[in-house]
Amino acid sequence: MEKITSFTIDHLRLLPGVYVSRKDPAGDTVITTFDLRMTRPNNEPVMNTAEMHAIEHLGATFLRNHPVYGSKVIYFGPMGCRTGFYLLLCGDFESVDIVPLMVEMFEFIRDFEGEIPGAQPKDCGNYLDMNLPMARYLARKYLDEVLYDIEDERLVYPE
């Protein structure tokens, strides 16, 4: 069986960043899958599920309500390895195209106060597993260390 594309990326050299993971045709358009890598794989601790769950709820809410990108959002959710998130957008995009959107989203998460959207038993299957303070910390870390003044090496997968 062939390895899927995401398993062919050298995770030993992969830095936190914003990467195009793949582009797939869908009718007359393209679906672009982004790898929003927040921690360095196999080098630093992975994120815990509670903060990832909070980021997922806040990020999905922000993205689906965005005035420009909201109608283009197919999916936003966590990677199984807990080192980042996938964002699927309808359209043919490059990593650099969405950096301003990611800055907006992670600033929203960093600054969020109050009740996390969808964090009620009737809205979510695991509503108690959320950690807003840690989600805010990780958003700030990703902004400061990656998104603000992002370097080219964090926009294209390592060869």
Side-chain angles (χ1 to χ4, degrees):
M1 210 180 279
E2 279 188 50
K3 280 187 183 180
I4 62 172
T5 304
S6 61
F7 296 154
T8 66
I9 303 306
D10 186 348
H11 285 70
L12 297 174
R13 296 179 53 223
L14 186 60
L15 299 173
V18 177
Y19 304 98
V20 171
S21 175
R22 58 186 293 151
K23 294 184 181 189
D24 296 293
D28 294 338
T29 191
V30 171
I31 304 296
T32 304
T33 300
F34 292 97
D35 171 336
L36 308 175
R37 195 65 60 152
M38 293 181 67
T39 66
R40 188 166 181 188
N42 305 306
N43 191 278
E44 62 182 305
V46 299
M47 294 177 280
N48 291 314
T49 59
E51 50 261 29
M52 289 195 81
H53 196 190
I55 291 170
E56 176 192 17
H57 276 239
L58 292 168
T61 299
F62 173 85
L63 289 165
R64 293 199 180 273
N65 285 284
H66 194 273
V68 175
Y69 287 92
S71 63
K72 296 172 175 54
V73 175
I74 304 297
Y75 173 78
F76 173 74
M79 295 177 177
C81 62
R82 297 185 290 143
T83 62
F85 292 83
Y86 287 115
L87 170 61
L88 281 69
L89 292 178
C90 184
D92 189 356
F93 296 97
E94 299 303 325
S95 298
V96 70
D97 298 332
I98 69 154
V99 169
L101 175 65
M102 293 300 93
V103 168
E104 279 184 71
M105 183 179 87
F106 282 98
E107 286 177 341
F108 171 80
I109 295 167
R110 177 198 65 199
D111 299 338
F112 188 84
E113 294 182 9
E115 185 177 309
I116 296 171
Q120 294 295 318
K122 65 180 176 36
D123 301 329
C124 177
N126 195 11
Y127 77 102
L128 292 174
D129 190 29
M130 303 253 188
N131 184 339
L132 180 57
M134 195 63 183
R136 292 178 62 187
Y137 167 81
L138 290 169
R140 181 174 41 258
K141 183 177 186 295
Y142 192 51
L143 285 162
D144 292 343
E145 295 179 8
V146 179
L147 294 176
Y148 292 147
D149 301 317
I150 193 165
E151 301 163 355
D152 289 343
E153 70 178 347
R154 294 176 185 261
L155 293 167
V156 179
Y157 279 139
E159 293 293 321

